[in-house]
Amino acid sequence: MGHEHARDAPVRIAAISLAVTAALLVLKLVLGLISGSIAVLSDAVDSGTDLTAGAAALISIRIAAQPADEEHPYGHGKVETISASVAATIIGIGGGVVVFQAIRRLVGAEHEIDVGVGLIAVTIAAVANIVLAFFMRREATRSHSMALSAEATHLRTNVVQAGTIIAGLLLVAITGEEVFDPLVALGLATYMGWTAIGLVRVAASEMMDAALPGHDLAVIHDVLVAHRHEVRGFHRLRTRRAGAVRHIDMHVLVDPELTVTQVHPISDSIEHEIEARLPGTIAVIHVEPDDGLHAEQFEALVQERAGGGQETARTDS
């Protein structure tokens, strides 16, 4: 029951985010048209991109939650990488639309802006996005969901955007210079572009099966060192992430005199310890008789962890 609740939590968070984003889109579009603020309307455009990206995230999370099958033995986690790429593309397109509209306002005739109405729309949106971003980031950290992490990052950009728009509208009210409105919109477009680039980099790293980060590798090393009286070394350590799941496989070297019956519990123990210390991990170990080729390297690792590396890894993780 608890496991099912934890598994469904990312879907619920994504669905709630989608509903709130749709409501904010309508609010900002209506009040943006009434206020005449290009910055508020640009924020409405961004909410439209949020809605599309949020839908992609929700679909990808549902697919990623499906168990592995014969056609997808490593599961469906990679679909979250596609979702992050879609979010980046949509954010980039939204930024381009904002730039176009802002330049039109700069080179066109002056347009009267109702600052009060614009501030109402943006303030409500800012509060809603702060709350959503907090809960989504927390769930993304718990579930290791790239799709939720991308959406949380996107929501944080919305909060920054809202703060910038509020500052711009206040400048318009104080100075009477309406040029601040499209200038703020251009600043928002630049920020959206930077965010899109960041999401692309993260998605590309996972798509290319980049190795797990150093603190994860340190945990693996710690487990192996803890079994140094049973293990003589290891090689061909390969790690990667697919959505919320880490995949780890390696060859572990043991005493050639040991039987399969004696070796099997050792490999099982190492796998279980790694999976316990790195939740959401699938570890696969291939056991080989020790040929002495990796003994020196393993001994160096044992000395390193004994000399303080183990404590560092525990702090990092």
Side-chain angles (χ1 to χ4, degrees):
M1 185 77 173
H3 175 73
E4 186 173 338
H5 175 81
R7 185 185 62 188
D8 293 340
V11 177
R12 287 198 302 274
I13 291 289
I16 292 171
S17 174
L18 202 60
V20 172
T21 300
L24 292 178
L25 169 61
V26 175
L27 174 71
K28 287 187 280 190
L29 187 59
V30 172
L31 295 188
L33 290 171
I34 294 174
S35 68
S37 168
I38 187 64
V40 175
L41 286 173
S42 298
D43 205 28
V45 170
D46 184 60
S47 289
T49 68
D50 289 351
L51 191 62
T52 307
L58 179 58
I59 293 170
S60 71
I61 290 170
R62 284 186 175 276
I63 295 174
Q66 296 177 6
D69 52 42
E70 290 186 4
E71 293 185 358
H72 306 91
Y74 288 99
H76 302 78
K78 283 286 187 180
V79 72
E80 295 199 29
T81 308
I82 299 174
S83 174
S85 302
V86 169
T89 302
I90 293 172
I91 294 172
I93 293 173
V97 172
V98 171
V99 169
F100 175 73
Q101 294 297 336
I103 292 176
R104 281 185 60 189
R105 180 62 61 86
L106 282 172
V107 300
E110 289 192 1
H111 190 87
E112 186 176 348
I113 299 173
D114 189 331
V115 174
V117 174
L119 285 174
I120 291 173
V122 180
T123 302
I124 293 174
V127 173
N129 282 321
I130 287 173
V131 174
L132 269 179
F134 171 77
F135 285 106
M136 189 167 287
R137 175 60 64 184
R138 187 174 69 176
E139 182 57 33
T141 301
R142 187 200 65 79
S143 64
H144 301 284
S145 169
M146 174 175 280
L148 282 186
S149 180
E151 276 303 289
T153 299
H154 196 176
L155 288 172
R156 286 208 310 270
T157 68
N158 291 347
V159 174
V160 174
Q161 289 171 203
T164 306
I165 293 172
I166 290 172
L169 290 174
L170 290 176
L171 283 173
V172 172
I174 294 171
T175 66
E177 295 292 336
E178 296 179 353
V179 69
F180 287 112
D181 187 53
L183 288 178
V184 166
L186 286 174
L188 293 180
T190 302
Y191 188 68
M192 290 170 70
W194 179 256
T195 302
I197 292 173
L199 288 176
V200 167
R201 290 178 60 186
V202 173
S205 176
E206 183 164 323
M207 201 175 297
M208 297 296 291
D209 285 333
L212 294 178
H215 54 82
D216 286 355
L217 296 178
V219 170
I220 299 171
H221 291 160
D222 284 348
V223 172
L224 290 169
V225 169
H227 287 265
R228 59 186 176 276
H229 300 301
E230 304 164 310
V231 172
R232 294 186 175 183
F234 69 96
H235 66 124
R236 296 195 66 183
L237 171 62
R238 298 184 299 180
T239 64
R240 67 185 183 95
R241 177 184 287 279
V245 181
R246 300 178 181 90
H247 293 278
I248 298 170
D249 65 82
M250 72 182 95
H251 292 199
V252 169
L253 306 173
V254 297
D255 185 346
E257 299 299 323
L258 295 178
T259 66
V260 173
T261 303
Q262 293 171 309
V263 167
H264 192 264
I266 297 174
S267 63
D268 277 353
S269 176
I270 295 174
E271 288 173 351
H272 293 158
E273 286 185 37
I274 292 174
E275 291 170 354
R277 294 187 60 179
L278 295 174
T281 294
I282 298 175
V284 178
I285 291 177
H286 173 72
V287 179
E288 294 181 350
D290 180 27
D291 55 9
L293 295 179
H294 303 278
E296 185 176 344
Q297 180 183 3
F298 186 60
E299 182 60 29
L301 178 64
V302 170
Q303 295 300 322
E304 175 191 334
R305 311 315 281 177
Q310 190 166 359
E311 183 64 31
T312 301
R314 191 176 295 113
T315 301
D316 290 343
S317 60

